Amino acid sequence: MTKIFLLAIPVFPALFSGCGQTNSLSSKNIITSSDAIKIKVGKAPGCVEIADLNNDKLPDLVVTNEGDSSVTILLGKGKAQFEEAKNSPFSAGHAVNDVAIGDFNKDGNPDLAFANHERKYLTVLLGNGQGNFTVAPKSPFPVEVIPHTHGIATGDFNNDGRLDLVTDGWGNDQIEVLFGDSINGFEIPGTFFKVGKHPYQRVRVADINNDGNTDIITTNLEGDNATILLGNGKGNFNEGTGSPFPCGDAPFGVAIGDVNADGKPDLAIINSPASTTDRTGKNGLTVLLGDGTGEFTTMKGSSYEAGKIPNRVAIGDVNGDGVNDIITSDSDDNKIYLFLMNRNGSVLSSSPVTVGNHPKGVAIADLNGDRKGDIVVCNNLDNDITIIVRFDRGLGSPF
């Protein structure tokens, strides 16, 4: 089973999976847009995450809609089929920019937390375990990041059994942590920690050094590097040895997973100076290979071609060879890029695949029960998502 380095059970992580025989097919033979399923969602979908929202052991889709400040919930019926939940879409606060999934009120059901762009607050919706959501008491939760929120992630940073939230503030080169609170939901005001220069756009969390505590990772747009904050399990963080790590020009976001099958978390980082008005350099994908202690080295060949305006990144085993692969979206050229990864820490092959108009958020998970990863893409200007359920060319067996 491949590893994505997700956190404790209450976080309700994406349902990535994949195992099987080694497959040497090139990425051009693996997927084409003809394998795509299109599903209408809200206005301007930006992010997609995957988790079991209604406790039926089937993957469901959470799609944030930037244009109408909502979230669409698509409940899985098996075999990559979905139906929209009753009362979906749900209001999710102004200009939803990112989403984290976790059980915030400890009722055993997955809840949703959103970073609201152009606003200084985080919106939390509580799930009923059937795919329906209501606004949490005291939501939205104010934050003091400068100028406003962009990314959001969740983990139990102080090991008290309650999930916490973290968001980024590029204006003061800090992140803000809201610790979970049994009375108020989250402690206000939050606690700040220093990171690199201009943390942007997607703060993420994982246990990077295998000590059982949750760590925080930021990509720093103006620093051209990534900061690793190692958690002590008591709510405090210290920058890891060697951090921040160079990671290419204008890093724009990160996905965490083991991409060389050594059992240690690696980082796949989008480089996107083309997404900015004041940064220059090379667009692409940079991969940092982790040593399991919190230190990273740049994978040979980085950065890799990923289109005109690389936007989002995800990790999962697309070809079922036991090694996680990487996908990125190119919001300018209506393509995603698939990078098949090798056990020796290299790219086996890569190629673009045409999807919808202005693709943004991407995710990989097994949606049809064959234990191999399928791909979901948000088509921002089409108001829909693309699901690619791939067939192995010439093998006659469904992917």
Side-chain angles (χ1 to χ4, degrees):
M1 185 69 68
T2 53
K3 291 186 177 180
I4 302 293
F5 293 92
L6 301 163
L7 302 175
I9 292 174
V11 178
F12 293 94
L15 301 176
F16 300 118
S17 65
C19 54
Q21 301 299 315
T22 299
N23 189 333
S24 61
L25 292 175
S26 76
S27 54
K28 290 183 179 180
N29 292 326
I30 285 183
I31 58 175
T32 71
S33 55
S34 64
D35 301 324
I37 301 166
K38 292 287 191 79
I39 300 177
K40 282 293 183 182
V41 290
K43 186 177 180 180
C47 298
V48 57
E49 297 292 344
I50 305 172
D52 180 7
L53 301 177
N54 58 349
N55 299 311
D56 64 355
K57 303 186 185 308
L58 295 173
D60 309 310
L61 305 182
V62 178
V63 182
T64 64
N65 305 303
E66 301 167 345
D68 57 18
S69 299
S70 72
V71 58
T72 296
I73 303 300
L74 300 174
L75 299 179
K77 311 305 293 181
K79 299 182 179 180
Q81 301 298 307
F82 295 87
E83 67 178 12
E84 191 164 1
K86 184 179 179 181
N87 300 320
S88 172
F90 301 94
S91 178
H94 178 80
V96 186
N97 198 61
D98 199 10
V99 59
I101 304 173
D103 181 8
F104 302 123
N105 60 350
K106 299 189 68 174
D107 67 351
N109 298 318
D111 310 311
L112 308 176
F114 304 93
N116 299 106
H117 193 231
E118 301 173 342
R119 295 293 186 271
K120 290 190 175 190
Y121 59 70
L122 306 174
T123 298
V124 175
L125 302 184
L126 300 180
N128 68 352
Q130 299 177 10
N132 275 271
F133 293 85
T134 56
V135 177
K138 302 190 177 182
S139 177
F141 295 92
V143 293
E144 296 300 325
V145 294
I146 299 173
H148 46 248
T149 67
H150 287 95
I152 189 170
T154 185
D156 184 0
F157 302 132
N158 55 359
N159 290 330
D160 65 350
R162 300 194 72 89
L163 288 178
D164 313 308
L165 298 176
V166 59
T167 189
D168 48 64
W170 62 256
N172 54 0
D173 301 333
Q174 294 180 321
I175 57 167
E176 183 176 359
V177 173
L178 302 186
F179 290 103
D181 185 314
S182 61
I183 298 175
N184 298 309
F186 296 93
E187 293 180 7
I188 305 296
T191 303
F192 286 87
F193 298 92
K194 198 74 174 175
V195 291
K197 190 170 180 56
H198 201 136
Y200 195 80
Q201 252 246 15
R202 298 285 183 268
V203 60
R204 290 295 181 255
V205 303
D207 182 4
I208 291 295
N209 59 348
N210 197 34
D211 65 351
N213 299 319
T214 305
D215 310 310
I216 298 175
I217 300 90
T218 67
T219 49
N220 307 310
L221 188 74
E222 292 187 14
D224 296 334
N225 53 34
T227 294
I228 308 297
L229 292 183
L230 299 179
N232 67 355
K234 299 178 181 179
N236 201 11
F237 295 87
N238 293 291
E239 195 161 1
T241 301
S243 174
F245 296 94
C247 61
D249 299 322
F252 202 73
V254 59
I256 306 169
D258 177 11
V259 299
N260 60 349
D262 66 353
K264 301 167 185 175
D266 309 308
L267 308 180
I269 296 173
I270 284 290
N271 302 115
S272 194
S275 293
T276 74
T277 59
D278 60 349
R279 302 292 294 163
T280 60
K282 183 180 179 181
N283 299 294
L285 167 72
T286 294
V287 179
L288 300 185
L289 299 178
D291 68 357
T293 72
E295 296 193 51
F296 292 86
T297 57
T298 303
M299 192 173 80
K300 186 177 180 180
S302 295
S303 65
Y304 295 89
E305 169 65 28
K308 296 179 180 179
I309 306 182
N311 190 266
R312 307 288 171 85
V313 59
I315 292 175
D317 186 2
V318 173
N319 61 347
D321 65 352
V323 182
N324 285 314
D325 308 303
I326 302 170
I327 56 171
T328 65
S329 61
D330 175 8
S331 60
D332 184 72
D333 208 20
N334 302 337
K335 291 181 174 67
I336 62 171
Y337 283 72
L338 169 63
F339 300 84
L340 295 182
M341 304 303 293
N342 223 334
R343 293 180 184 273
N344 64 2
S346 65
V347 173
L348 179 65
S349 66
S350 66
S351 64
V353 177
T354 299
V355 287
N357 198 7
H358 199 71
K360 295 187 79 171
V362 288
I364 303 173
D366 177 12
L367 302 179
N368 60 355
D370 65 356
R371 305 183 72 188
K372 300 177 183 178
D374 308 307
I375 297 171
V376 186
V377 184
C378 291
N379 303 310
N380 190 258
L381 296 185
D382 291 339
N383 301 329
D384 65 19
I385 61 171
T386 296
I387 300 175
I388 301 174
V389 182
R390 191 261 306 155
F391 286 79
D392 284 340
R393 303 298 180 221
L395 298 184
S397 61
F399 155 83

